[in-house]
């Protein structure tokens, strides 16, 4: 467990969950205990790095049930990470409830850093759920939160660009924010370039949009960003006489749609949660039967 945590916190390459699974098998998942909880929590961290979302969710759910009843920092982080996984799956209601609980528990134990992370992710739920005014207020307040890492404070600028583009339709303000973000982030950003391309597209500046959609794909991007760029490129490639690229862009966009369909399959998460709850209920029933058996044997011995 400690080795896995050390590698994880130092951003070392962790190719799979083989090592940490040994700890999970050793501690099991039948009885509460800090070490068992940390093993399953660490497995969730590893699987989140390998894009095994369902495995990460399952591990975090198991860890959350195994932590001792007294609040501690890693329990709160486990809640936060679980909320982020639900957010990545577009399960906004589930994500909001657990992220708000993580924020409340972080405040209870006085952990300002985890509270700051939760304060960043809750308005993301509002943004993706199109509650733009609420998200704008929250992101504006986060700009000066020193408990939030500098990179995430810079990310709030990009979120404000999205709000001004998609809610207010203000392409000038959106470009102002996204250019500020690209300048401050310090590296080529696929997300920044695709939002900049969206702003140019909305403003009718199609040549600039075409250029920045292509630039975005040269950077490391998440699936949503990649899909957004490929959705626009077929039209723009035809517009500028690059018919030889159109079929390629259409194929890549179809591939993105298939991967999104697989990744954002919410039924698989609901099935996972149901199975976990059933296993949890069975474990509780088993514990109750065990206590009754101990009580019965004790009474017999006393008699």
């Amino acid at each position: 467990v400690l080795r896995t945590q050390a590698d994880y916190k130092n951003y070392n390459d962790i190719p799979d969950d083989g090592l940490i699974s040994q700890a999970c098998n050793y501690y099991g998942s039948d009885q509460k205990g800090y070490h068992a909880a940390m093993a399953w929590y660490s497995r969730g961290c590893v699987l989140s790095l390998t894009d095994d979302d369902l495995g990460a969710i399952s591990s975090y759910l198991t860890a959350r049930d195994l932590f001792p009843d007294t609040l501690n920092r890693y329990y709160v982080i486990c809640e936060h990470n679980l909320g982020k996984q639900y957010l990545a799956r577009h399960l906004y209601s589930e994500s909001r409830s657990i992220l708000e609980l993580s924020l409340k528990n972080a405040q209870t134990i006085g952990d300002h850093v985890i509270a700051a992370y939760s304060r960043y992710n809750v308005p993301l739920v509002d943004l993706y759920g199109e509650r733009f005014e609420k998200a704008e207020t929250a992101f504006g307040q986060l700009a000066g939160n020193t408990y939030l890492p500098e990179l995430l404070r810079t990310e709030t600028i990009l979120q404000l660009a999205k709000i001004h583009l998609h809610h207010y339709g203000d392409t000038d303000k959106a470009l102002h924010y996204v250019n500020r973000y690209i300048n401050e982030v310090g590296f080529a950003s696929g997300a920044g370039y695709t939002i900049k391309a969206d702003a140019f597209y909305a403003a009718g500046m199609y040549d600039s949009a075409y250029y920045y959609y292509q630039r975005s794909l040269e950077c490391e991007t998440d699936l949503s960003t990649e899909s957004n760029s490929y959705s626009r490129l077929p039209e723009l490639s035809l517009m500028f006489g690059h018919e030889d690229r159109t079929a390629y862009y259409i194929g890549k966009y179809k591939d993105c749609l298939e991967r999104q369909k697989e990744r954002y399959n919410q039924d698989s998460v609901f099935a996972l949660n149901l199975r976990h709850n059933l296993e949890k209920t069975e474990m509780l029933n088993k514990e109750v039967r065990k206590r009754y058996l101990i009580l019965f044997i004790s009474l017999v011995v006393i008699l």
Side-chain angles (χ1 to χ4, degrees):
V1 174
L2 294 175
R3 172 58 187 270
T4 299
Q5 280 292 307
D7 285 337
Y8 178 72
K9 291 180 179 181
N10 282 289
Y11 304 100
N12 295 336
D13 181 48
I14 306 177
D16 54 50
D17 64 329
L19 180 65
I20 191 59
S21 290
Q22 294 182 41
C24 293
N25 293 335
Y26 175 80
Y27 289 114
S29 58
D30 296 330
Q31 294 183 339
K32 281 180 176 288
Y34 181 76
H35 294 302
M38 284 301 297
W40 286 96
Y41 160 77
S42 301
R43 183 172 183 267
C45 294
V46 170
L47 293 178
S48 68
L49 295 177
T50 60
D51 291 330
D52 184 353
D53 297 338
L54 290 178
I57 291 172
S58 178
S59 297
Y60 287 138
L61 286 170
T62 302
R64 192 172 60 159
D65 292 339
L66 290 174
F67 274 107
D69 294 333
T70 305
L71 273 179
N72 65 76
R73 187 171 195 263
Y74 280 100
Y75 175 85
V76 179
I77 297 174
C78 183
E79 284 183 322
H80 173 266
N81 289 358
L82 184 58
K84 282 181 62 181
Q85 288 291 335
Y86 286 145
L87 178 58
R89 284 269 177 162
H90 299 176
L91 295 166
Y92 301 133
S93 177
E94 291 79 3
S95 176
R96 167 179 285 280
S97 62
I98 197 167
L99 285 171
E100 288 179 341
L101 182 60
S102 170
L103 173 58
K104 179 181 176 182
N105 287 334
Q107 291 171 326
T108 299
I109 64 174
D111 195 317
H112 300 294
V113 174
I114 302 304
Y117 276 102
S118 296
R119 285 195 175 97
Y120 175 81
N121 284 292
V122 169
L124 278 182
V125 179
D126 291 322
L127 174 61
Y128 298 145
E130 297 186 356
R131 291 181 288 272
F132 294 109
E133 290 89 350
K134 193 172 182 180
E136 182 181 10
T137 300
F139 284 128
Q141 294 170 346
L142 281 171
N145 190 326
T146 56
Y147 291 106
L148 198 65
E150 183 179 355
L151 180 60
L152 283 185
R153 292 203 303 272
T154 306
E155 289 281 343
T156 62
I157 301 171
L158 183 64
Q159 310 308 339
L160 290 171
K162 295 177 186 178
I163 291 169
H164 280 278
L165 176 61
H166 299 299
H167 179 53
Y168 297 113
D170 188 341
T171 55
D172 290 336
K173 195 74 172 179
L175 285 169
H176 163 75
Y177 277 118
V178 76
N179 285 330
R180 180 180 159 194
Y181 166 77
I182 291 172
N183 289 334
E184 292 188 18
V185 76
F187 56 85
S189 167
Y193 287 145
T194 196
I195 296 301
K196 189 169 184 175
D198 283 344
F200 280 129
Y201 185 91
M205 301 171 67
Y206 300 118
D207 53 344
S208 297
Y210 187 47
Y211 172 77
Y212 280 106
Y213 281 132
Q214 290 178 311
R215 284 290 308 274
S216 74
L217 295 171
E218 296 171 2
C219 309
E220 184 176 347
T221 59
D222 62 20
L223 181 55
S224 296
T225 299
E226 185 180 353
S227 179
N228 181 67
S229 293
Y230 279 125
S231 70
R232 295 291 192 189
L233 283 169
E235 173 195 355
L236 293 172
S237 63
L238 285 174
M239 189 181 297
F240 293 106
H242 301 301
E243 293 87 352
D244 56 321
R245 302 291 293 169
T246 304
Y248 169 77
Y249 291 139
I250 291 174
K252 295 295 287 185
Y253 180 49
K254 287 181 178 178
D255 176 63
C256 287
L257 291 178
E258 287 298 319
R259 285 189 287 149
Q260 283 182 312
K261 182 179 178 181
E262 180 180 352
R263 175 171 291 186
Y264 303 139
N265 181 3
Q266 298 180 351
D267 290 341
S268 59
V269 181
F270 291 140
L272 175 64
N273 285 337
L274 177 60
R275 184 170 68 252
H276 176 81
N277 289 333
L278 289 173
E279 291 173 354
K280 181 180 177 180
T281 301
E282 177 58 30
M283 188 170 68
L284 291 174
N285 290 338
K286 183 179 179 180
E287 186 66 25
V288 170
R289 290 195 296 269
K290 180 181 176 181
R291 290 179 181 177
Y292 275 121
L293 179 61
I294 292 173
L295 177 60
F296 175 75
I297 293 173
S298 299
L299 289 174
V300 170
V301 169
I302 292 171
L303 290 173

